[in-house]
Amino acid sequence: MQNVFVCRLLVLSIFITVAYMMTWSFIPRFLKLMIQLSSQTNELYQLAAVAFCLLLAWCSDYLGLSLELGSFLAGVMISTTDFAHHTLEQVEAIRNLFAALFLASIGMLIHFKFLWNHVDILLAAVILVIIVKSIVITAVIKSFGYSIRTAFIVGLSLAQIGEFAFVLLSRASHHHLIGGKMYLLLLGTTALSLVTTPLIFKLIPVVTQLGILMRWFPSESGVQNEEKATMLDVYNRTL
């Protein structure tokens, strides 16, 4: 077991090293060449960018790592070049297509009957996640010196579980780290938390106004005065 871990770590180190070397040697030249060849049309550049990401993801999976790691590393490699903004503009048109395919594939994994039979556990898990994440993020934002109102709004805005949880759950299930029932429950919890995100966004102004009326949060004028006092304090310390 230890030998396998050392071997995987060595492969990962070599893979990241080669990717780092390609970032400042091959990738900029490759993207520049694609821009020159696609001066009349952008389809070639789009295909080249997508093909590069898919190729790196396949190489990562072939080496025993993961598709997600290769895809993430491909994005990092492109973002460090001078063509990052241009690449983002070119793939913007097909980003929604990949997002739709991703969410559709997740939807086909959800077992609706199983979740309906465990709807009490599912709702309790979603409520617990929203409350715990809101409290933790609010505390973190408040520790950076922001007002309690700003920290609370950020906490509610980030209360849902991110889409990357689907990737982590897939890998965990593939390696038999979690059972089938637990996987379905976590999958349903993540999906339901994402569904509740628009509702939480609509409730933020209502909760904020309620907090002002209950004197939990300062008013708009109070927040502005607090920001001015903070800026004045920073200016005085600088002097």
PDB file of all heavy atoms in Angstrom, residues 2 4 7 12 14 16-17 32-33 39 41-42 53 60 71-72 86 103 122 131 147 174-175 191 195 225 230 232 238:
ATOM      1  N   GLN A   2       1.913   1.234   0.793  1.00  0.00           N
ATOM      2  CA  GLN A   2       2.803   2.380   0.872  1.00  0.00           C
ATOM      3  C   GLN A   2       3.541   2.590  -0.446  1.00  0.00           C
ATOM      4  O   GLN A   2       3.756   3.724  -0.879  1.00  0.00           O
ATOM      5  CB  GLN A   2       3.801   2.192   2.018  1.00  0.00           C
ATOM      6  CG  GLN A   2       4.689   3.410   2.261  1.00  0.00           C
ATOM      7  CD  GLN A   2       5.591   3.211   3.453  1.00  0.00           C
ATOM      8  OE1 GLN A   2       5.568   2.155   4.084  1.00  0.00           O
ATOM      9  NE2 GLN A   2       6.382   4.217   3.760  1.00  0.00           N
ATOM     10  N   VAL A   4       2.410   1.827  -3.396  1.00  0.00           N
ATOM     11  CA  VAL A   4       1.453   2.378  -4.350  1.00  0.00           C
ATOM     12  C   VAL A   4       1.299   3.882  -4.135  1.00  0.00           C
ATOM     13  O   VAL A   4       1.251   4.668  -5.088  1.00  0.00           O
ATOM     14  CB  VAL A   4       0.098   1.664  -4.221  1.00  0.00           C
ATOM     15  CG1 VAL A   4      -0.948   2.329  -5.116  1.00  0.00           C
ATOM     16  CG2 VAL A   4       0.238   0.194  -4.581  1.00  0.00           C
ATOM     17  N   CYS A   7       4.362   5.641  -5.419  1.00  0.00           N
ATOM     18  CA  CYS A   7       4.366   5.632  -6.886  1.00  0.00           C
ATOM     19  C   CYS A   7       3.401   6.678  -7.435  1.00  0.00           C
ATOM     20  O   CYS A   7       3.742   7.425  -8.368  1.00  0.00           O
ATOM     21  CB  CYS A   7       4.000   4.241  -7.389  1.00  0.00           C
ATOM     22  SG  CYS A   7       4.040   4.068  -9.185  1.00  0.00           S
ATOM     23  N   LEU A  12       2.381  11.959  -9.862  1.00  0.00           N
ATOM     24  CA  LEU A  12       1.761  13.277  -9.744  1.00  0.00           C
ATOM     25  C   LEU A  12       2.796  14.390  -9.816  1.00  0.00           C
ATOM     26  O   LEU A  12       2.586  15.408 -10.487  1.00  0.00           O
ATOM     27  CB  LEU A  12       0.982  13.362  -8.432  1.00  0.00           C
ATOM     28  CG  LEU A  12       0.311  14.707  -8.109  1.00  0.00           C
ATOM     29  CD1 LEU A  12      -0.719  15.057  -9.176  1.00  0.00           C
ATOM     30  CD2 LEU A  12      -0.339  14.666  -6.724  1.00  0.00           C
ATOM     31  N   ILE A  14       5.773  14.274 -11.271  1.00  0.00           N
ATOM     32  CA  ILE A  14       6.296  14.359 -12.644  1.00  0.00           C
ATOM     33  C   ILE A  14       5.276  15.031 -13.565  1.00  0.00           C
ATOM     34  O   ILE A  14       5.621  15.879 -14.397  1.00  0.00           O
ATOM     35  CB  ILE A  14       6.670  12.960 -13.158  1.00  0.00           C
ATOM     36  CG1 ILE A  14       7.816  12.376 -12.328  1.00  0.00           C
ATOM     37  CG2 ILE A  14       7.052  13.013 -14.628  1.00  0.00           C
ATOM     38  CD1 ILE A  14       8.168  10.947 -12.691  1.00  0.00           C
ATOM     39  N   ILE A  16       2.877  17.210 -12.795  1.00  0.00           N
ATOM     40  CA  ILE A  16       2.787  18.649 -12.516  1.00  0.00           C
ATOM     41  C   ILE A  16       4.037  19.368 -13.003  1.00  0.00           C
ATOM     42  O   ILE A  16       3.960  20.489 -13.531  1.00  0.00           O
ATOM     43  CB  ILE A  16       2.568  18.881 -11.003  1.00  0.00           C
ATOM     44  CG1 ILE A  16       1.199  18.336 -10.584  1.00  0.00           C
ATOM     45  CG2 ILE A  16       2.679  20.361 -10.659  1.00  0.00           C
ATOM     46  CD1 ILE A  16       0.913  18.476  -9.112  1.00  0.00           C
ATOM     47  N   THR A  17       5.198  18.730 -12.857  1.00  0.00           N
ATOM     48  CA  THR A  17       6.448  19.356 -13.330  1.00  0.00           C
ATOM     49  C   THR A  17       6.442  19.539 -14.839  1.00  0.00           C
ATOM     50  O   THR A  17       6.811  20.603 -15.359  1.00  0.00           O
ATOM     51  CB  THR A  17       7.649  18.503 -12.903  1.00  0.00           C
ATOM     52  OG1 THR A  17       7.652  18.354 -11.473  1.00  0.00           O
ATOM     53  CG2 THR A  17       8.951  19.158 -13.341  1.00  0.00           C
ATOM     54  N   LYS A  32      -0.588  31.044 -29.603  1.00  0.00           N
ATOM     55  CA  LYS A  32      -0.288  32.104 -30.560  1.00  0.00           C
ATOM     56  C   LYS A  32      -0.420  31.593 -31.989  1.00  0.00           C
ATOM     57  O   LYS A  32      -0.946  32.295 -32.875  1.00  0.00           O
ATOM     58  CB  LYS A  32       1.119  32.639 -30.311  1.00  0.00           C
ATOM     59  CG  LYS A  32       1.489  33.815 -31.193  1.00  0.00           C
ATOM     60  CD  LYS A  32       2.876  34.340 -30.856  1.00  0.00           C
ATOM     61  CE  LYS A  32       3.244  35.526 -31.733  1.00  0.00           C
ATOM     62  NZ  LYS A  32       4.609  36.046 -31.396  1.00  0.00           N
ATOM     63  N   LEU A  33       0.033  30.362 -32.223  1.00  0.00           N
ATOM     64  CA  LEU A  33      -0.089  29.767 -33.553  1.00  0.00           C
ATOM     65  C   LEU A  33      -1.553  29.569 -33.921  1.00  0.00           C
ATOM     66  O   LEU A  33      -1.957  29.828 -35.068  1.00  0.00           O
ATOM     67  CB  LEU A  33       0.654  28.435 -33.591  1.00  0.00           C
ATOM     68  CG  LEU A  33       0.551  27.634 -34.897  1.00  0.00           C
ATOM     69  CD1 LEU A  33       1.164  28.422 -36.050  1.00  0.00           C
ATOM     70  CD2 LEU A  33       1.235  26.276 -34.749  1.00  0.00           C
ATOM     71  N   SER A  39      -7.283  33.472 -37.972  1.00  0.00           N
ATOM     72  CA  SER A  39      -7.493  34.904 -38.112  1.00  0.00           C
ATOM     73  C   SER A  39      -8.830  35.214 -38.782  1.00  0.00           C
ATOM     74  O   SER A  39      -9.443  36.246 -38.521  1.00  0.00           O
ATOM     75  CB  SER A  39      -6.352  35.536 -38.915  1.00  0.00           C
ATOM     76  OG  SER A  39      -6.251  34.911 -40.190  1.00  0.00           O
ATOM     77  N   THR A  41     -11.575  32.949 -38.865  1.00  0.00           N
ATOM     78  CA  THR A  41     -12.657  32.348 -38.092  1.00  0.00           C
ATOM     79  C   THR A  41     -12.114  31.867 -36.759  1.00  0.00           C
ATOM     80  O   THR A  41     -10.933  31.562 -36.639  1.00  0.00           O
ATOM     81  CB  THR A  41     -13.293  31.166 -38.857  1.00  0.00           C
ATOM     82  OG1 THR A  41     -14.296  30.565 -38.041  1.00  0.00           O
ATOM     83  CG2 THR A  41     -12.254  30.129 -39.223  1.00  0.00           C
ATOM     84  N   ASN A  42     -12.992  31.777 -35.768  1.00  0.00           N
ATOM     85  CA  ASN A  42     -12.564  31.421 -34.411  1.00  0.00           C
ATOM     86  C   ASN A  42     -12.791  29.953 -34.090  1.00  0.00           C
ATOM     87  O   ASN A  42     -12.443  29.507 -32.990  1.00  0.00           O
ATOM     88  CB  ASN A  42     -13.321  32.272 -33.381  1.00  0.00           C
ATOM     89  CG  ASN A  42     -12.977  33.749 -33.489  1.00  0.00           C
ATOM     90  OD1 ASN A  42     -11.834  34.108 -33.737  1.00  0.00           O
ATOM     91  ND2 ASN A  42     -13.972  34.599 -33.301  1.00  0.00           N
ATOM     92  N   CYS A  53      -7.607  20.756 -23.492  1.00  0.00           N
ATOM     93  CA  CYS A  53      -8.139  20.419 -22.155  1.00  0.00           C
ATOM     94  C   CYS A  53      -8.526  18.946 -22.076  1.00  0.00           C
ATOM     95  O   CYS A  53      -8.234  18.275 -21.073  1.00  0.00           O
ATOM     96  CB  CYS A  53      -9.336  21.314 -21.837  1.00  0.00           C
ATOM     97  SG  CYS A  53      -8.952  23.067 -21.685  1.00  0.00           S
ATOM     98  N   SER A  60      -4.097  12.607 -17.725  1.00  0.00           N
ATOM     99  CA  SER A  60      -4.159  12.499 -16.271  1.00  0.00           C
ATOM    100  C   SER A  60      -4.855  11.210 -15.850  1.00  0.00           C
ATOM    101  O   SER A  60      -4.414  10.509 -14.934  1.00  0.00           O
ATOM    102  CB  SER A  60      -4.884  13.715 -15.692  1.00  0.00           C
ATOM    103  OG  SER A  60      -5.027  13.599 -14.296  1.00  0.00           O
ATOM    104  N   SER A  71      -8.242  18.273 -16.045  1.00  0.00           N
ATOM    105  CA  SER A  71      -9.036  19.401 -16.533  1.00  0.00           C
ATOM    106  C   SER A  71      -8.702  20.672 -15.763  1.00  0.00           C
ATOM    107  O   SER A  71      -8.556  21.753 -16.358  1.00  0.00           O
ATOM    108  CB  SER A  71     -10.531  19.079 -16.387  1.00  0.00           C
ATOM    109  OG  SER A  71     -10.861  17.897 -17.086  1.00  0.00           O
ATOM    110  N   PHE A  72      -8.581  20.546 -14.451  1.00  0.00           N
ATOM    111  CA  PHE A  72      -8.236  21.708 -13.630  1.00  0.00           C
ATOM    112  C   PHE A  72      -6.854  22.245 -14.000  1.00  0.00           C
ATOM    113  O   PHE A  72      -6.653  23.460 -14.127  1.00  0.00           O
ATOM    114  CB  PHE A  72      -8.288  21.314 -12.160  1.00  0.00           C
ATOM    115  CG  PHE A  72      -7.793  22.385 -11.227  1.00  0.00           C
ATOM    116  CD1 PHE A  72      -8.572  23.483 -10.929  1.00  0.00           C
ATOM    117  CD2 PHE A  72      -6.530  22.289 -10.647  1.00  0.00           C
ATOM    118  CE1 PHE A  72      -8.118  24.474 -10.076  1.00  0.00           C
ATOM    119  CE2 PHE A  72      -6.067  23.265  -9.790  1.00  0.00           C
ATOM    120  CZ  PHE A  72      -6.868  24.363  -9.499  1.00  0.00           C
ATOM    121  N   HIS A  86      -8.541  35.970 -23.974  1.00  0.00           N
ATOM    122  CA  HIS A  86      -9.005  35.641 -25.323  1.00  0.00           C
ATOM    123  C   HIS A  86      -9.602  34.232 -25.359  1.00  0.00           C
ATOM    124  O   HIS A  86     -10.648  34.010 -26.008  1.00  0.00           O
ATOM    125  CB  HIS A  86      -7.841  35.750 -26.309  1.00  0.00           C
ATOM    126  CG  HIS A  86      -8.212  35.394 -27.706  1.00  0.00           C
ATOM    127  ND1 HIS A  86      -8.973  36.213 -28.508  1.00  0.00           N
ATOM    128  CD2 HIS A  86      -7.935  34.281 -28.453  1.00  0.00           C
ATOM    129  CE1 HIS A  86      -9.154  35.644 -29.682  1.00  0.00           C
ATOM    130  NE2 HIS A  86      -8.535  34.477 -29.680  1.00  0.00           N
ATOM    131  N   LEU A 103     -24.836  18.981 -15.803  1.00  0.00           N
ATOM    132  CA  LEU A 103     -26.001  18.924 -14.930  1.00  0.00           C
ATOM    133  C   LEU A 103     -26.975  17.825 -15.357  1.00  0.00           C
ATOM    134  O   LEU A 103     -27.613  17.190 -14.502  1.00  0.00           O
ATOM    135  CB  LEU A 103     -26.699  20.280 -14.925  1.00  0.00           C
ATOM    136  CG  LEU A 103     -25.898  21.428 -14.309  1.00  0.00           C
ATOM    137  CD1 LEU A 103     -26.647  22.745 -14.436  1.00  0.00           C
ATOM    138  CD2 LEU A 103     -25.590  21.145 -12.841  1.00  0.00           C
ATOM    139  N   LEU A 122     -33.188  14.057   3.970  1.00  0.00           N
ATOM    140  CA  LEU A 122     -32.700  14.962   2.929  1.00  0.00           C
ATOM    141  C   LEU A 122     -32.928  16.423   3.319  1.00  0.00           C
ATOM    142  O   LEU A 122     -32.010  17.246   3.236  1.00  0.00           O
ATOM    143  CB  LEU A 122     -33.401  14.643   1.611  1.00  0.00           C
ATOM    144  CG  LEU A 122     -32.992  15.467   0.392  1.00  0.00           C
ATOM    145  CD1 LEU A 122     -31.538  15.193   0.032  1.00  0.00           C
ATOM    146  CD2 LEU A 122     -33.904  15.139  -0.793  1.00  0.00           C
ATOM    147  N   ILE A 131     -27.377  26.229   7.355  1.00  0.00           N
ATOM    148  CA  ILE A 131     -27.145  26.928   8.622  1.00  0.00           C
ATOM    149  C   ILE A 131     -25.668  26.922   8.987  1.00  0.00           C
ATOM    150  O   ILE A 131     -25.089  27.960   9.327  1.00  0.00           O
ATOM    151  CB  ILE A 131     -27.993  26.278   9.749  1.00  0.00           C
ATOM    152  CG1 ILE A 131     -29.482  26.519   9.485  1.00  0.00           C
ATOM    153  CG2 ILE A 131     -27.593  26.833  11.106  1.00  0.00           C
ATOM    154  CD1 ILE A 131     -30.392  25.827  10.488  1.00  0.00           C
ATOM    155  N   SER A 147     -18.405  44.456   8.232  1.00  0.00           N
ATOM    156  CA  SER A 147     -19.561  44.595   9.119  1.00  0.00           C
ATOM    157  C   SER A 147     -20.328  43.282   9.197  1.00  0.00           C
ATOM    158  O   SER A 147     -20.235  42.429   8.297  1.00  0.00           O
ATOM    159  CB  SER A 147     -20.484  45.709   8.616  1.00  0.00           C
ATOM    160  OG  SER A 147     -21.026  45.373   7.342  1.00  0.00           O
ATOM    161  N   HIS A 174     -16.475   5.906  -6.769  1.00  0.00           N
ATOM    162  CA  HIS A 174     -15.672   5.054  -7.657  1.00  0.00           C
ATOM    163  C   HIS A 174     -14.627   4.264  -6.878  1.00  0.00           C
ATOM    164  O   HIS A 174     -14.341   3.104  -7.208  1.00  0.00           O
ATOM    165  CB  HIS A 174     -14.999   5.919  -8.720  1.00  0.00           C
ATOM    166  CG  HIS A 174     -14.117   5.147  -9.654  1.00  0.00           C
ATOM    167  ND1 HIS A 174     -14.616   4.303 -10.623  1.00  0.00           N
ATOM    168  CD2 HIS A 174     -12.752   5.076  -9.762  1.00  0.00           C
ATOM    169  CE1 HIS A 174     -13.621   3.759 -11.284  1.00  0.00           C
ATOM    170  NE2 HIS A 174     -12.481   4.208 -10.790  1.00  0.00           N
ATOM    171  N   HIS A 175     -14.080   4.867  -5.840  1.00  0.00           N
ATOM    172  CA  HIS A 175     -13.067   4.202  -5.020  1.00  0.00           C
ATOM    173  C   HIS A 175     -13.670   3.516  -3.792  1.00  0.00           C
ATOM    174  O   HIS A 175     -12.927   3.123  -2.885  1.00  0.00           O
ATOM    175  CB  HIS A 175     -12.016   5.209  -4.576  1.00  0.00           C
ATOM    176  CG  HIS A 175     -11.157   5.727  -5.691  1.00  0.00           C
ATOM    177  ND1 HIS A 175     -10.182   4.975  -6.298  1.00  0.00           N
ATOM    178  CD2 HIS A 175     -11.138   6.926  -6.329  1.00  0.00           C
ATOM    179  CE1 HIS A 175      -9.589   5.680  -7.253  1.00  0.00           C
ATOM    180  NE2 HIS A 175     -10.149   6.861  -7.296  1.00  0.00           N
ATOM    181  N   ALA A 191     -27.704  18.501  -4.733  1.00  0.00           N
ATOM    182  CA  ALA A 191     -28.598  18.999  -5.777  1.00  0.00           C
ATOM    183  C   ALA A 191     -29.686  19.897  -5.193  1.00  0.00           C
ATOM    184  O   ALA A 191     -29.995  20.964  -5.749  1.00  0.00           O
ATOM    185  CB  ALA A 191     -29.225  17.820  -6.530  1.00  0.00           C
ATOM    186  N   VAL A 195     -30.680  23.897  -5.772  1.00  0.00           N
ATOM    187  CA  VAL A 195     -32.013  24.329  -6.187  1.00  0.00           C
ATOM    188  C   VAL A 195     -32.530  25.445  -5.289  1.00  0.00           C
ATOM    189  O   VAL A 195     -33.225  26.366  -5.748  1.00  0.00           O
ATOM    190  CB  VAL A 195     -32.981  23.125  -6.173  1.00  0.00           C
ATOM    191  CG1 VAL A 195     -34.422  23.581  -6.400  1.00  0.00           C
ATOM    192  CG2 VAL A 195     -32.587  22.124  -7.245  1.00  0.00           C
ATOM    193  N   ASN A 225     -21.024  55.022   7.658  1.00  0.00           N
ATOM    194  CA  ASN A 225     -20.208  55.675   8.685  1.00  0.00           C
ATOM    195  C   ASN A 225     -19.116  54.757   9.203  1.00  0.00           C
ATOM    196  O   ASN A 225     -17.988  55.176   9.472  1.00  0.00           O
ATOM    197  CB  ASN A 225     -21.095  56.135   9.843  1.00  0.00           C
ATOM    198  CG  ASN A 225     -22.044  57.259   9.427  1.00  0.00           C
ATOM    199  OD1 ASN A 225     -21.746  58.001   8.499  1.00  0.00           O
ATOM    200  ND2 ASN A 225     -23.175  57.357  10.111  1.00  0.00           N
ATOM    201  N   THR A 230     -13.429  53.286   9.308  1.00  0.00           N
ATOM    202  CA  THR A 230     -12.367  52.314   9.054  1.00  0.00           C
ATOM    203  C   THR A 230     -11.310  52.877   8.125  1.00  0.00           C
ATOM    204  O   THR A 230     -10.097  52.725   8.344  1.00  0.00           O
ATOM    205  CB  THR A 230     -12.971  51.034   8.444  1.00  0.00           C
ATOM    206  OG1 THR A 230     -13.967  50.523   9.323  1.00  0.00           O
ATOM    207  CG2 THR A 230     -11.903  49.980   8.243  1.00  0.00           C
ATOM    208  N   LEU A 232     -10.626  56.055   7.651  1.00  0.00           N
ATOM    209  CA  LEU A 232      -9.904  57.106   8.360  1.00  0.00           C
ATOM    210  C   LEU A 232      -8.876  56.515   9.309  1.00  0.00           C
ATOM    211  O   LEU A 232      -7.743  57.019   9.432  1.00  0.00           O
ATOM    212  CB  LEU A 232     -10.899  57.981   9.124  1.00  0.00           C
ATOM    213  CG  LEU A 232     -10.305  59.175   9.898  1.00  0.00           C
ATOM    214  CD1 LEU A 232      -9.588  60.112   8.924  1.00  0.00           C
ATOM    215  CD2 LEU A 232     -11.393  59.905  10.659  1.00  0.00           C
ATOM    216  N   THR A 238      -1.425  54.823   8.515  1.00  0.00           N
ATOM    217  CA  THR A 238      -0.432  54.961   7.454  1.00  0.00           C
ATOM    218  C   THR A 238       0.452  56.184   7.696  1.00  0.00           C
ATOM    219  O   THR A 238       1.664  56.137   7.501  1.00  0.00           O
ATOM    220  CB  THR A 238      -1.121  55.076   6.088  1.00  0.00           C
ATOM    221  OG1 THR A 238      -1.962  53.936   5.900  1.00  0.00           O
ATOM    222  CG2 THR A 238      -0.093  55.133   4.964  1.00  0.00           C
TER     223      THR A 238
END
